[in-house]
Amino acid sequence: MSSSNEEKMSKKAAKKRAAKLEKLSRKHEREEATSSSSSLPLEEEDESFSSNYGDVTPKSAAEAVEGKELTDVSNLVEEIVGSEVSIRGRVHNHRLVGKKLFVILRQSVSSVQCVVEEARVGTSMFKFVRQLSHESVVELIGVVSLPKKPLTGTTQQVEIHVTKMYCLSRSSLNLPLVVEDAARSEADIEKSVKDGKPAARVLQDTRLNNRPLDLRTPANQATFRIQCHVQIAFREFLLSKGFLEIHTPKLIAGSSEGGSAVFRLDYKGQPACLAQSPQLHKQMAICGDMRRVFEVGPVFRAEDSFTHRHLCEFVGLDVEMEIRMHYSEIMDLVGDLFPFIFTKIEERCPKELESVRKQYPFQSLKFLPQTLRLTFAEGIQMLKEAGEEVDPLGDLNTESERKLGQLVLEKYKTEFYMLHRYPSAVRPFYTMPCEDDSNYSNSFDVFIRGEEIMSGAQRIHDPELLEKRARECGIDVMTISTYIDAFRYGAPPHGGFGVGLERVVMLLCALDNIRKTSLFPRDPKRLAP
């Protein structure tokens, strides 16, 4: 063989040998990494990690993490990278990549990626974590780290490298709905269909039948935090204006608003019903010289209304106050109160609003600094000019309300406005008629995005006129005698309003159904869960 051929063969052999050595070197490095946590045999290695994982009670979990204080997931930020933390949450999902398990841990509206490495925690713990069912409640310890790439599937932009994990409560493997499915937006579902991998659409009845699971979605968590802050702002504003919070009875002898839409029951042998509103007792509080009062409490309506905006039980935000000169004083209060609430929600709940928007996209509510007021007659005229046929002395139906809302938005650039001087025939018996025309009343409704959220009015404080109006409305005066008697001892001019909390939140977030803003809805067909 020539020297040139020998030279070529030796170079080829050298390359093969170098490649083999490189391969062996890499294998050695992997083996080293795998055994870096312990040089013990596998059985002994897993034994050494056995106290770092398992199914435990809350007390034993606290002992296992050595009493380390829990950190809220929302507080896991870049500033604490390198710190060891203990957190609790639900297993949202997990993804296996080689010898690493990426677990998304969810806590209310917040979520964080947790990394479990088999080389670090041992084979048995790795299997334990991998076998945890979705929605199981776990507590873990780990080090806060910054991922190489920005995270898109979690609220927090850090990750936790797990060293210990304990399961406090295992979820069933057969979930009636998957939270991840229930949290998808309509756009996400449509995209999945286009991509040929259709995602599950969770229907409303499935959601409501399994409400404890459904409530875990980020949008639902955010919705009820927004609802909480609406109540806080409502109370905050009224207390600053000298109002007193009261609590009125929900069991009453007669209907509070007349009509048949009441839940009747037997009260120790006496006929009774659930209050349709705190109206009568709010007024009696004013007669008791409380001057300015409000209440947040349940309201019951036995209407067979199968609509997107009616419930048989809802939370009422009610106000009653003395009037000095004119019922416009009540509208002045409303005109300041609700812009205050809207502004506070924008300031205090930006993350919650964004969570709702992610699943149910909507535009922020348009409202004016000075709330728009139109008379009922002006509203009717706007509808007529738009070609709508409406009864000038009748009430507005849902379609007319929406149409008027569109017309008001186009003309006045607002989605929040008042309509006042309603026809007397469509208001409760205790509503004060207008002095200049008894066909109309000193009353008003308030609208958001073309839907009514509130009714308000000046009340009749003359007992004779009150009796007359009650009879005209078909109400047995004897059943409300204690209410009417309250006005026989002197009563100041007064008025107020009532608004449904769930409806306010529904329209503020432009949701399509009031059941989304009721924790456990009660409608004509639903009494559970």
Side-chain angles (χ1 to χ4, degrees):
M1 186 180 289
S2 67
S3 61
S4 62
N5 284 340
E6 286 178 359
E7 190 176 330
K8 283 180 183 178
M9 288 293 289
S10 62
K11 281 183 179 180
K12 194 174 180 181
K15 281 183 180 179
K16 278 186 177 180
R17 188 167 180 275
K20 189 175 181 181
L21 287 171
E22 177 67 18
K23 191 175 180 180
L24 287 168
S25 176
R26 286 178 182 173
K27 184 180 178 182
H28 180 66
E29 284 175 6
R30 285 197 300 271
E31 288 172 349
E32 248 188 0
T34 304
S35 60
S36 61
S37 57
S38 173
S39 58
L40 298 171
L42 183 60
E43 294 81 2
E44 292 181 49
E45 173 196 306
D46 285 346
E47 183 66 30
S48 70
F49 287 119
S50 62
S51 62
N52 293 347
Y53 66 95
D55 294 279
V56 297
T57 64
K59 184 179 178 182
S60 57
E63 290 170 353
V65 299
E66 299 166 356
K68 197 173 185 65
E69 195 171 318
L70 289 172
T71 299
D72 280 350
V73 170
S74 60
N75 292 330
L76 298 173
V77 291
E78 288 186 30
E79 286 74 11
I80 62 169
V81 166
S83 303
E84 186 180 67
V85 294
S86 175
I87 59 175
R88 179 185 289 181
R90 292 186 181 275
V91 177
H92 184 63
N93 60 40
H94 45 62
R95 176 172 52 94
L96 182 66
V97 180
K99 296 292 186 178
K100 289 184 179 181
L101 193 61
F102 294 88
V103 181
I104 303 300
L105 198 72
R106 196 183 72 246
Q107 185 188 79
S108 186
V109 295
S110 303
S111 55
V112 65
Q113 178 170 281
C114 303
V115 184
V116 184
E117 299 176 69
E118 186 174 357
R120 178 178 294 190
V121 301
T123 302
S124 294
M125 179 174 166
F126 191 78
K127 285 182 180 177
F128 167 79
V129 177
R130 190 178 175 183
Q131 291 168 3
L132 287 173
S133 54
H134 291 185
E135 300 306 307
S136 294
V137 180
V138 300
E139 196 164 307
L140 62 84
I141 280 185
V143 177
V144 182
S145 304
L146 202 61
K148 292 177 181 178
K149 295 179 181 179
L151 301 171
T152 56
T154 59
T155 61
Q156 307 311 113
Q157 287 304 301
V158 295
E159 62 185 17
I160 309 298
H161 284 260
V162 178
T163 55
K164 297 181 180 182
M165 186 181 289
Y166 305 96
C167 182
L168 280 70
S169 174
R170 283 184 182 264
S171 172
S172 168
L173 291 171
N174 301 311
L175 295 173
L177 65 84
V178 177
V179 174
E180 195 169 5
D181 291 336
R184 286 194 176 94
S185 68
E186 193 61 31
D188 290 338
I189 294 172
E190 288 174 4
K191 184 178 182 299
S192 72
V193 172
K194 287 179 183 178
D195 293 343
K197 298 177 181 178
R201 177 183 274 105
V202 184
L203 301 178
Q204 181 173 276
D205 277 350
T206 302
R207 290 175 181 275
L208 297 181
N209 290 340
N210 302 282
R211 194 60 160 161
L213 266 176
D214 183 47
L215 287 173
R216 296 175 191 177
T217 68
N220 280 333
Q221 288 286 314
T223 296
F224 291 101
R225 278 164 173 71
I226 291 168
Q227 187 182 94
C228 174
H229 279 281
V230 168
Q231 292 180 75
I232 290 170
F234 178 78
R235 283 190 171 97
E236 185 181 333
F237 181 87
L238 293 173
L239 290 170
S240 75
K241 299 296 180 182
F243 280 78
L244 175 71
E245 183 168 9
I246 62 171
H247 301 284
T248 61
K250 305 309 165 198
L251 286 169
I252 60 174
S255 64
S256 44
E257 300 215 358
S260 60
V262 293
F263 288 105
R264 302 189 184 280
L265 51 91
D266 177 80
Y267 186 77
K268 304 293 183 181
Q270 303 176 61
C273 63
L274 296 176
Q276 292 166 290
S277 87
Q279 186 53 57
L280 311 186
H281 292 91
K282 283 192 305 178
Q283 287 186 257
M284 286 194 273
I286 298 298
C287 291
D289 288 344
M290 289 187 168
R291 302 191 67 195
R292 292 184 152 209
V293 298
F294 73 93
E295 179 171 14
V296 178
V299 174
F300 303 92
R301 302 284 170 90
E303 300 168 329
D304 287 330
S305 297
F306 299 90
T307 75
H308 74 286
R309 65 176 188 171
H310 286 95
L311 292 169
C312 290
E313 179 184 352
F314 61 89
V315 178
L317 308 177
D318 280 88
V319 169
E320 203 73 18
M321 58 185 275
E322 284 188 11
I323 294 172
R324 186 181 179 193
M325 298 287 291
H326 193 264
Y327 81 99
S328 61
E329 294 164 30
I330 311 167
M331 291 191 286
D332 291 340
L333 181 80
V334 173
D336 292 337
L337 168 62
F338 278 84
F340 175 84
I341 292 173
F342 302 150
T343 302
K344 290 301 177 186
I345 294 301
E346 291 286 346
E347 290 174 359
R348 296 169 178 174
C349 305
K351 289 182 179 178
E352 288 80 4
L353 290 168
E354 191 53 42
S355 289
V356 176
R357 279 194 184 97
K358 190 173 180 182
Q359 184 166 5
Y360 307 109
F362 71 95
Q363 297 295 318
S364 294
L365 183 71
K366 294 181 176 68
F367 61 95
L368 302 173
Q370 185 69 39
T371 301
L372 174 68
R373 295 181 199 175
L374 298 171
T375 65
F376 186 82
E378 288 171 332
I380 294 293
Q381 187 59 34
M382 287 178 71
L383 287 167
K384 283 183 176 179
E385 289 173 359
E388 298 289 317
E389 288 187 16
V390 284
D391 182 354
L393 293 178
D395 207 352
L396 297 179
N397 60 29
T398 301
E399 291 73 24
S400 296
E401 286 179 358
R402 284 180 180 159
K403 181 63 178 178
L404 185 57
Q406 290 172 6
L407 297 171
V408 167
L409 178 59
E410 289 168 10
K411 186 173 181 179
Y412 299 101
K413 311 303 178 190
T414 182
E415 295 175 294
F416 176 73
Y417 72 98
M418 300 184 199
L419 207 59
H420 68 108
R421 272 182 72 99
Y422 266 72
S424 295
V426 300
R427 307 306 278 197
F429 77 93
Y430 47 73
T431 305
M432 181 69 79
C434 289
E435 279 189 76
D436 60 334
D437 188 346
S438 61
N439 286 317
Y440 293 93
S441 61
N442 291 352
S443 62
F444 62 92
D445 277 0
V446 178
F447 298 84
I448 295 179
R449 302 189 198 268
E451 295 196 38
E452 179 255 317
I453 60 155
M454 173 198 303
S455 290
Q458 180 180 355
R459 324 301 186 185
I460 296 172
H461 59 280
D462 175 77
E464 282 69 34
L465 179 56
L466 202 54
E467 281 187 351
K468 179 174 177 291
R469 284 288 296 143
R471 289 193 182 96
E472 288 172 355
C473 291
I475 296 172
D476 182 355
V477 175
M478 291 302 295
T479 65
I480 56 170
S481 59
T482 54
Y483 165 66
I484 295 175
D485 287 345
F487 298 98
R488 301 190 191 283
Y489 315 122
H494 62 279
F497 60 86
V499 56
L501 174 63
E502 291 89 344
R503 195 177 291 187
V504 171
V505 177
M506 176 186 79
L507 294 170
L508 180 61
C509 296
L511 296 170
D512 63 358
N513 198 298
I514 198 167
R515 290 157 185 81
K516 286 185 170 76
T517 59
S518 177
L519 198 65
F520 295 99
R522 295 291 178 261
D523 61 29
K525 288 187 173 180
R526 182 169 293 279
L527 195 57

Short mmCIF file of all heavy atoms in Angstrom, two decimals, residues 123-160:
data_model
loop_
_atom_site.label_atom_id
_atom_site.label_comp_id
_atom_site.label_asym_id
_atom_site.label_seq_id
_atom_site.Cartn_x
_atom_site.Cartn_y
_atom_site.Cartn_z
N THR A 123 -35.79 9.54 41.01
CA THR A 123 -36.78 8.90 40.12
C THR A 123 -38.15 8.77 40.77
O THR A 123 -39.17 9.03 40.14
CB THR A 123 -36.27 7.51 39.71
OG1 THR A 123 -35.01 7.66 39.07
CG2 THR A 123 -37.23 6.85 38.75
N SER A 124 -38.20 8.39 42.03
CA SER A 124 -39.50 8.16 42.68
C SER A 124 -40.30 9.45 42.83
O SER A 124 -41.51 9.47 42.58
CB SER A 124 -39.29 7.51 44.05
OG SER A 124 -38.75 6.23 43.92
N MET A 125 -39.63 10.53 43.26
CA MET A 125 -40.34 11.80 43.39
C MET A 125 -40.79 12.30 42.02
O MET A 125 -41.89 12.84 41.87
CB MET A 125 -39.46 12.85 44.06
CG MET A 125 -40.14 14.21 44.19
SD MET A 125 -39.16 15.40 45.14
CE MET A 125 -40.03 16.93 44.74
N PHE A 126 -39.95 12.10 41.02
CA PHE A 126 -40.29 12.51 39.65
C PHE A 126 -41.57 11.79 39.19
O PHE A 126 -42.47 12.42 38.63
CB PHE A 126 -39.12 12.18 38.72
CG PHE A 126 -39.24 12.77 37.35
CD1 PHE A 126 -38.94 14.11 37.12
CD2 PHE A 126 -39.65 11.99 36.27
CE1 PHE A 126 -39.04 14.67 35.86
CE2 PHE A 126 -39.76 12.53 35.00
CZ PHE A 126 -39.45 13.88 34.79
N LYS A 127 -41.66 10.49 39.47
CA LYS A 127 -42.85 9.72 39.11
C LYS A 127 -44.06 10.18 39.90
O LYS A 127 -45.18 10.27 39.39
CB LYS A 127 -42.61 8.23 39.38
CG LYS A 127 -41.71 7.55 38.36
CD LYS A 127 -41.56 6.07 38.69
CE LYS A 127 -40.66 5.36 37.66
NZ LYS A 127 -40.47 3.93 38.03
N PHE A 128 -43.85 10.50 41.19
CA PHE A 128 -44.94 10.97 42.05
C PHE A 128 -45.56 12.24 41.48
O PHE A 128 -46.79 12.36 41.37
CB PHE A 128 -44.39 11.24 43.46
CG PHE A 128 -45.33 12.02 44.35
CD1 PHE A 128 -46.39 11.38 44.98
CD2 PHE A 128 -45.16 13.39 44.54
CE1 PHE A 128 -47.26 12.09 45.79
CE2 PHE A 128 -46.01 14.10 45.36
CZ PHE A 128 -47.06 13.45 45.98
N VAL A 129 -44.71 13.19 41.09
CA VAL A 129 -45.21 14.46 40.54
C VAL A 129 -45.91 14.23 39.20
O VAL A 129 -46.97 14.79 38.94
CB VAL A 129 -44.06 15.48 40.39
CG1 VAL A 129 -44.56 16.77 39.74
CG2 VAL A 129 -43.42 15.78 41.74
N ARG A 130 -45.31 13.36 38.40
CA ARG A 130 -45.87 13.10 37.06
C ARG A 130 -47.26 12.49 37.15
O ARG A 130 -48.11 12.69 36.27
CB ARG A 130 -44.92 12.18 36.30
CG ARG A 130 -45.27 12.03 34.83
CD ARG A 130 -44.26 11.15 34.11
NE ARG A 130 -44.66 10.90 32.74
CZ ARG A 130 -44.01 10.13 31.89
NH1 ARG A 130 -42.90 9.52 32.29
NH2 ARG A 130 -44.45 9.96 30.66
N GLN A 131 -47.52 11.72 38.20
CA GLN A 131 -48.80 11.03 38.35
C GLN A 131 -49.87 11.86 39.04
O GLN A 131 -51.01 11.42 39.18
CB GLN A 131 -48.60 9.71 39.11
CG GLN A 131 -47.83 8.67 38.30
CD GLN A 131 -47.38 7.49 39.13
OE1 GLN A 131 -47.69 7.41 40.32
NE2 GLN A 131 -46.64 6.57 38.52
N LEU A 132 -49.55 13.08 39.46
CA LEU A 132 -50.55 13.93 40.12
C LEU A 132 -51.63 14.33 39.12
O LEU A 132 -51.34 14.79 38.01
CB LEU A 132 -49.89 15.19 40.69
CG LEU A 132 -49.02 15.01 41.94
CD1 LEU A 132 -48.29 16.30 42.28
CD2 LEU A 132 -49.86 14.53 43.13
N SER A 133 -52.88 14.19 39.51
CA SER A 133 -53.99 14.53 38.62
C SER A 133 -54.21 16.04 38.59
O SER A 133 -53.89 16.76 39.54
CB SER A 133 -55.27 13.84 39.10
OG SER A 133 -55.52 14.14 40.46
N HIS A 134 -54.73 16.50 37.47
CA HIS A 134 -55.05 17.92 37.33
C HIS A 134 -56.04 18.34 38.43
O HIS A 134 -56.93 17.58 38.80
CB HIS A 134 -55.68 18.20 35.97
CG HIS A 134 -54.72 18.05 34.83
ND1 HIS A 134 -55.04 18.36 33.54
CD2 HIS A 134 -53.43 17.63 34.80
CE1 HIS A 134 -53.99 18.13 32.75
NE2 HIS A 134 -53.01 17.67 33.51
N GLU A 135 -55.85 19.54 38.95
CA GLU A 135 -56.68 20.15 40.01
C GLU A 135 -56.32 19.66 41.41
O GLU A 135 -56.93 20.11 42.39
CB GLU A 135 -58.18 19.96 39.76
CG GLU A 135 -58.67 20.58 38.46
CD GLU A 135 -58.32 22.05 38.33
OE1 GLU A 135 -58.63 22.82 39.25
OE2 GLU A 135 -57.70 22.42 37.31
N SER A 136 -55.33 18.77 41.53
CA SER A 136 -54.87 18.38 42.87
C SER A 136 -54.22 19.58 43.55
O SER A 136 -53.62 20.43 42.90
CB SER A 136 -53.86 17.23 42.77
OG SER A 136 -54.49 16.06 42.29
N VAL A 137 -54.37 19.65 44.86
CA VAL A 137 -53.81 20.76 45.65
C VAL A 137 -52.45 20.34 46.18
O VAL A 137 -52.34 19.31 46.86
CB VAL A 137 -54.73 21.16 46.81
CG1 VAL A 137 -54.13 22.32 47.60
CG2 VAL A 137 -56.11 21.54 46.28
N VAL A 138 -51.42 21.10 45.87
CA VAL A 138 -50.06 20.75 46.30
C VAL A 138 -49.39 21.93 46.98
O VAL A 138 -49.78 23.09 46.81
CB VAL A 138 -49.19 20.30 45.10
CG1 VAL A 138 -49.79 19.09 44.42
CG2 VAL A 138 -48.99 21.43 44.09
N GLU A 139 -48.38 21.58 47.76
CA GLU A 139 -47.52 22.59 48.38
C GLU A 139 -46.08 22.20 48.03
O GLU A 139 -45.73 21.02 48.10
CB GLU A 139 -47.74 22.59 49.89
CG GLU A 139 -47.21 23.83 50.58
CD GLU A 139 -47.77 23.99 51.99
OE1 GLU A 139 -49.02 23.95 52.15
OE2 GLU A 139 -46.96 24.13 52.93
N LEU A 140 -45.28 23.18 47.68
CA LEU A 140 -43.91 22.85 47.26
C LEU A 140 -42.90 23.88 47.73
O LEU A 140 -43.26 25.00 48.11
CB LEU A 140 -43.85 22.70 45.73
CG LEU A 140 -44.19 23.93 44.86
CD1 LEU A 140 -42.98 24.84 44.68
CD2 LEU A 140 -44.69 23.48 43.50
N ILE A 141 -41.65 23.45 47.70
CA ILE A 141 -40.53 24.35 47.97
C ILE A 141 -39.62 24.32 46.75
O ILE A 141 -39.42 23.28 46.12
CB ILE A 141 -39.75 23.90 49.23
CG1 ILE A 141 -40.48 24.36 50.50
CG2 ILE A 141 -38.34 24.47 49.24
CD1 ILE A 141 -39.74 24.08 51.78
N GLY A 142 -39.11 25.48 46.40
CA GLY A 142 -38.21 25.55 45.26
C GLY A 142 -37.51 26.89 45.20
O GLY A 142 -37.79 27.80 46.00
N VAL A 143 -36.62 27.01 44.24
CA VAL A 143 -35.83 28.24 44.08
C VAL A 143 -36.37 29.03 42.89
O VAL A 143 -36.59 28.48 41.81
CB VAL A 143 -34.34 27.91 43.87
CG1 VAL A 143 -33.53 29.18 43.63
CG2 VAL A 143 -33.80 27.14 45.09
N VAL A 144 -36.57 30.32 43.10
CA VAL A 144 -37.08 31.19 42.04
C VAL A 144 -35.97 31.44 41.02
O VAL A 144 -34.86 31.83 41.37
CB VAL A 144 -37.57 32.54 42.61
CG1 VAL A 144 -38.15 33.41 41.50
CG2 VAL A 144 -38.60 32.31 43.72
N SER A 145 -36.27 31.17 39.75
CA SER A 145 -35.28 31.33 38.68
C SER A 145 -35.90 32.11 37.52
O SER A 145 -37.12 32.20 37.39
CB SER A 145 -34.80 29.97 38.17
OG SER A 145 -34.26 29.20 39.23
N LEU A 146 -35.03 32.63 36.69
CA LEU A 146 -35.47 33.36 35.51
C LEU A 146 -35.33 32.44 34.30
O LEU A 146 -34.25 31.95 34.01
CB LEU A 146 -34.61 34.62 35.32
CG LEU A 146 -35.20 35.75 34.48
CD1 LEU A 146 -36.49 36.27 35.11
CD2 LEU A 146 -34.19 36.89 34.35
N PRO A 147 -36.42 32.16 33.58
CA PRO A 147 -36.33 31.26 32.41
C PRO A 147 -35.54 31.90 31.28
O PRO A 147 -35.42 33.12 31.20
CB PRO A 147 -37.80 31.05 32.02
CG PRO A 147 -38.51 32.24 32.54
CD PRO A 147 -37.79 32.66 33.79
N LYS A 148 -35.01 31.05 30.39
CA LYS A 148 -34.20 31.56 29.27
C LYS A 148 -35.05 32.37 28.29
O LYS A 148 -34.59 33.34 27.70
CB LYS A 148 -33.52 30.39 28.54
CG LYS A 148 -32.46 29.70 29.38
CD LYS A 148 -31.87 28.50 28.64
CE LYS A 148 -30.83 27.79 29.51
NZ LYS A 148 -30.28 26.58 28.83
N LYS A 149 -36.32 31.96 28.12
CA LYS A 149 -37.22 32.65 27.21
C LYS A 149 -38.45 33.14 27.98
O LYS A 149 -38.86 32.52 28.96
CB LYS A 149 -37.67 31.72 26.08
CG LYS A 149 -36.54 31.27 25.16
CD LYS A 149 -37.08 30.33 24.09
CE LYS A 149 -35.96 29.85 23.17
NZ LYS A 149 -36.47 28.90 22.13
N PRO A 150 -39.06 34.25 27.54
CA PRO A 150 -40.28 34.74 28.20
C PRO A 150 -41.39 33.69 28.16
O PRO A 150 -41.54 32.97 27.17
CB PRO A 150 -40.67 35.97 27.36
CG PRO A 150 -39.42 36.39 26.68
CD PRO A 150 -38.63 35.15 26.44
N LEU A 151 -42.15 33.60 29.24
CA LEU A 151 -43.23 32.61 29.35
C LEU A 151 -44.54 33.21 28.85
O LEU A 151 -44.84 34.37 29.14
CB LEU A 151 -43.37 32.15 30.80
CG LEU A 151 -42.13 31.50 31.42
CD1 LEU A 151 -42.32 31.30 32.92
CD2 LEU A 151 -41.83 30.17 30.74
N THR A 152 -45.31 32.42 28.12
CA THR A 152 -46.59 32.91 27.59
C THR A 152 -47.80 32.24 28.24
O THR A 152 -48.91 32.75 28.16
CB THR A 152 -46.67 32.67 26.07
OG1 THR A 152 -46.47 31.28 25.80
CG2 THR A 152 -45.60 33.48 25.33
N GLY A 153 -47.57 31.11 28.88
CA GLY A 153 -48.70 30.36 29.43
C GLY A 153 -48.97 30.60 30.90
O GLY A 153 -49.82 29.93 31.50
N THR A 154 -48.25 31.54 31.51
CA THR A 154 -48.44 31.82 32.94
C THR A 154 -48.50 33.33 33.18
O THR A 154 -48.04 34.12 32.37
CB THR A 154 -47.28 31.25 33.78
OG1 THR A 154 -46.04 31.84 33.33
CG2 THR A 154 -47.19 29.74 33.66
N THR A 155 -49.05 33.71 34.33
CA THR A 155 -49.09 35.14 34.67
C THR A 155 -47.74 35.62 35.17
O THR A 155 -47.39 36.79 34.98
CB THR A 155 -50.14 35.41 35.76
OG1 THR A 155 -49.80 34.68 36.95
CG2 THR A 155 -51.53 35.01 35.30
N GLN A 156 -46.96 34.73 35.81
CA GLN A 156 -45.67 35.13 36.38
C GLN A 156 -44.54 34.83 35.39
O GLN A 156 -44.55 33.79 34.72
CB GLN A 156 -45.41 34.40 37.70
CG GLN A 156 -46.55 34.54 38.73
CD GLN A 156 -47.01 35.96 38.93
OE1 GLN A 156 -48.13 36.32 38.58
NE2 GLN A 156 -46.13 36.79 39.48
N GLN A 157 -43.57 35.73 35.33
CA GLN A 157 -42.47 35.59 34.37
C GLN A 157 -41.20 35.02 35.01
O GLN A 157 -40.10 35.23 34.52
CB GLN A 157 -42.18 36.95 33.73
CG GLN A 157 -43.25 37.38 32.74
CD GLN A 157 -43.46 36.34 31.64
OE1 GLN A 157 -42.54 36.01 30.90
NE2 GLN A 157 -44.68 35.81 31.54
N VAL A 158 -41.38 34.31 36.11
CA VAL A 158 -40.28 33.55 36.71
C VAL A 158 -40.74 32.09 36.77
O VAL A 158 -41.91 31.79 36.54
CB VAL A 158 -39.92 34.06 38.13
CG1 VAL A 158 -39.38 35.47 38.07
CG2 VAL A 158 -41.12 33.96 39.07
N GLU A 159 -39.81 31.19 37.09
CA GLU A 159 -40.17 29.79 37.28
C GLU A 159 -39.57 29.28 38.58
O GLU A 159 -38.63 29.89 39.13
CB GLU A 159 -39.72 28.94 36.08
CG GLU A 159 -38.23 28.92 35.85
CD GLU A 159 -37.84 28.15 34.58
OE1 GLU A 159 -38.72 27.92 33.73
OE2 GLU A 159 -36.64 27.78 34.47
N ILE A 160 -40.11 28.19 39.07
CA ILE A 160 -39.64 27.60 40.33
C ILE A 160 -38.96 26.27 40.05
O ILE A 160 -39.56 25.38 39.43
CB ILE A 160 -40.81 27.37 41.31
CG1 ILE A 160 -41.66 28.63 41.48
CG2 ILE A 160 -40.29 26.87 42.65
CD1 ILE A 160 -40.91 29.81 42.08
#
